Amino acid sequence: MDPYQKVARLLLEHKNISAFTGAGISAESGIPTFRDPGGLWDQFDPDEFGTTGGIIQAALKKPSLIRNFLLQMLDIFEKARPNPGHHGLKSLEDLGLLKTIITQNIDHLHQEAGSSTVIEVHGSLFRGRCLNCGRRQQLNKAELLVRARQFLADEKNFEVGKLVELLPRCPVCNGISRPDVVMFGEPVLQLAEAIAVAEQSDLMLVLGTSGVVYPAAALPCQAYEHNAKIIEINPTGNYYDSISECYIDSPAGAAMPKIIGLLKDLL
Ligand code: NAD
């Protein structure tokens, strides 16, 4: 059977459907993945720029490199909007089919697409966590990007030490709030909730992940062990080959509208 037809039928036959997403679902929004060639991560080693120590080291040794990195990140996030992959998952929720998205992404694009239940196991770039009291606060993305743009504009007077001024203050204790993202080596967030969702799922859509960052990468296996069927959508490989019921070899932004179209015909 055509894999798209099969996925549409599977979606209609199951009741507890979740989605597990990775960097690939945001690739069509212009945010580079870690493992695909080209772009930001060819210039900046994710092993270095993905750890707090690595960033501090780079900032101290080569401030201009950090400024360049932040400017490129800013360009990317100013332009990034949800794409048909994100909107497709929101449509699945609207059709009453999708309950929860577990994402490894930190870009907030599922929420911007309107998805209501999103577990961000690697945190969010647009949420702060107070270094003093631990309180979390949702940040105004547009405001944050404008402040960062103004801060980075002045190349001559750029000082790494002043980067701290960009960080928001905690509304409760006035401590410095760091971006609430999980760097390599730090514990993932909401893991118990994510495992519970995986174990309760009878079907899990896996989109845009190479499945190498643990423990999050184990969630589809945990769902499968609790009898969920796994559907994988990825244009470069069937990374969960041994547990997949169905694999669609396509970018998520092309596959999701086709699946939604078929579902609407079947409903
Ligand atoms: P990854 O970079 O390891 O893998 C991305 C996968 O997506 C690859 O297998 C690739 O083939 C696939 N892909 C590329 N384009 C696609 C598309 N249009 N549709 C569907 N799939 C596509 O990403 P990962 O597995 O998520 O692990 C990397 C870690 O880095 C994650 O923990 C994540 O937190 C972080 N990260 C996040 C973002 C983001 O927030 N957007 C971006 C880069 C990295």
Side-chain angles (χ1 to χ4, degrees):
M1 189 195 272
D2 167 62
Y4 288 94
Q5 292 279 357
K6 183 168 176 184
V7 168
R9 287 194 182 280
L10 283 169
L11 285 164
L12 291 177
E13 284 164 12
H14 290 80
K15 295 215 168 339
N16 285 312
I17 303 174
S18 60
F20 177 61
T21 67
I25 197 166
S26 296
E28 290 157 275
S29 299
I31 304 178
T33 69
F34 273 167
R35 268 154 272 273
D36 294 303
L40 188 74
W41 302 113
D42 280 350
Q43 295 170 59
F44 303 100
D45 179 1
D47 288 338
E48 186 181 2
F49 283 80
T51 66
T52 312
I55 287 198
I56 292 171
Q57 283 292 324
L60 293 174
K61 278 196 229 147
K62 282 194 175 179
S64 62
L65 190 71
I66 279 291
R67 181 173 172 272
N68 188 0
F69 172 71
L70 293 174
L71 277 171
Q72 292 200 40
M73 290 279 279
L74 203 53
D75 282 345
I76 289 167
F77 280 99
E78 279 171 345
K79 289 183 198 132
R81 300 284 179 275
N83 68 56
H86 302 101
H87 290 304
L89 292 182
K90 160 69 171 146
S91 301
L92 278 186
E93 178 183 332
D94 291 343
L95 291 170
L97 296 173
L98 179 67
K99 293 221 162 103
T100 306
I101 298 173
I102 304 168
T103 188
Q104 300 169 88
N105 296 342
I106 57 170
D107 56 31
H108 206 246
L109 291 182
H110 286 303
Q111 289 92 333
E112 284 178 35
S115 291
S116 59
T117 311
V118 184
I119 297 178
E120 296 167 304
V121 283
H122 291 163
S124 168
L125 205 49
F126 303 106
R127 194 170 61 220
R129 176 170 21 114
C130 177
L131 288 169
N132 184 42
C133 72
R135 186 188 164 96
R136 293 189 157 90
Q137 57 170 321
Q138 198 59 44
L139 304 174
N140 180 321
K141 179 176 169 180
E143 226 170 66
L144 192 68
L145 293 176
V146 167
R147 278 181 54 218
R149 177 64 71 194
Q150 285 166 349
F151 183 85
L152 294 168
D154 186 358
E155 184 176 2
K156 261 203 215 142
N157 295 315
F158 176 78
E159 279 176 44
V160 163
K162 283 192 180 165
L163 271 174
V164 85
E165 290 170 15
L166 255 188
L167 298 174
R169 291 291 175 151
C170 173
V172 175
C173 74
N174 204 34
I176 291 170
S177 234
R178 61 163 267 185
D180 192 20
V181 294
V182 174
M183 306 294 266
F184 286 123
E186 294 181 344
V188 301
L189 306 178
Q190 291 184 273
L191 186 59
E193 286 103 310
I195 291 174
V197 167
E199 291 184 352
Q200 284 155 20
S201 299
D202 55 10
L203 186 75
M204 183 183 265
L205 281 167
V206 177
L207 308 101
T209 177
S210 53
V212 294
V213 181
Y214 283 84
L219 290 163
C221 305
Q222 281 158 311
Y224 176 77
E225 279 159 18
H226 284 75
N227 300 318
K229 295 204 167 87
I230 306 298
I231 293 165
E232 182 168 14
I233 301 176
N234 191 316
T236 65
N238 190 188
Y239 296 90
Y240 290 92
D241 182 25
S242 62
I243 60 169
S244 299
E245 179 79 14
C246 190
Y247 166 59
I248 291 187
D249 178 3
S250 162
M256 285 310 298
K258 275 197 205 173
I259 293 168
I260 300 298
L262 285 170
L263 276 172
K264 287 186 174 160
D265 289 345
L266 289 169
L267 277 168

